[in-house]
Amino acid sequence: MSKSKYQPGNFKLKVKRATPGAGLGLYADQDLPKGVCIIEYFGRTLSLAEEYTSRSKYLFEINSKKTIDGGTRANIARYINHSCRPNAEVEIIKGRVFIMAKRFIKAGEEIAYDYGKEYWNEHIKPLGCRCVKCGEKK
Ligand SMILES: [Zn+2]
């Protein structure tokens, strides 16, 4: 593993709303080459007790022993939305969470990754998935 691969590039990213009333998302403000490390999703590691009691919307379960709370404002990766046809993907390296470009991402595109089946069934399906792929079917 090369060290530089998981070093987030100093890319221009922007937090904004796709349309008025929609939630915030994270957007590329420049072209992002395929395979680059876009950003790290970081936060405080929760204690075991907190894993059960935390009401944070930004919990990220890294493995069965480690969950982080990405709710800190500095963690702009928390604005990345779910997509069933994602342009980014998560790689967990030594307990850290990196968001990688799955393909070339054009400037202005929203960055999204797949939150996973379990999360989708529990939190997204009940509200109706609003990703590009699911939106097409309607
Ligand atoms: Zn979807």
Side-chain angles (χ1 to χ4, degrees):
M1 169 181 106
S2 73
K3 196 180 158 201
S4 57
K5 192 184 169 196
Y6 298 103
Q7 180 65 49
N10 201 14
F11 300 118
K12 285 195 233 157
L13 307 168
K14 211 183 205 164
V15 176
K16 63 168 194 177
R17 262 171 239 287
T19 52
L24 292 168
L26 188 68
Y27 291 76
D29 210 19
Q30 65 164 93
D31 290 347
L32 302 175
K34 180 181 178 177
V36 295
C37 180
I38 303 170
I39 193 168
E40 179 176 0
Y41 189 109
F42 66 92
R44 194 174 59 86
T45 302
L46 298 189
S47 68
L48 197 59
E50 284 175 316
E51 286 186 23
Y52 293 97
T53 57
S54 174
R55 297 186 151 260
S56 170
K57 289 193 299 181
Y58 302 104
L59 298 185
F60 197 113
E61 188 179 345
I62 292 173
N63 56 44
S64 59
K65 293 195 187 94
K66 185 176 177 183
T67 297
I68 58 172
D69 180 1
T72 168
R73 285 189 124 193
N75 176 36
I76 62 167
R78 73 187 178 128
Y79 294 108
I80 301 174
N81 290 311
H82 162 84
S83 175
C84 299
R85 191 192 288 151
N87 55 14
E89 61 194 340
V90 167
E91 284 193 42
I92 294 172
I93 306 295
K94 294 182 179 165
R96 292 171 67 181
V97 183
F98 297 97
I99 314 299
M100 314 292 289
K102 215 179 160 189
R103 59 164 172 78
F104 171 76
I105 300 172
K106 269 203 308 260
E109 250 190 273
E110 181 174 5
I111 297 162
Y113 62 85
D114 189 341
Y115 283 13
K117 198 89 205 142
E118 204 180 308
Y119 186 97
W120 194 86
N121 281 331
E122 209 174 308
H123 301 282
I124 299 176
K125 195 179 173 191
L127 302 170
C129 187
R130 295 211 223 162
C131 83
V132 272
K133 190 179 169 199
C134 297
E136 274 171 13
K137 283 187 229 154
K138 280 168 201 156

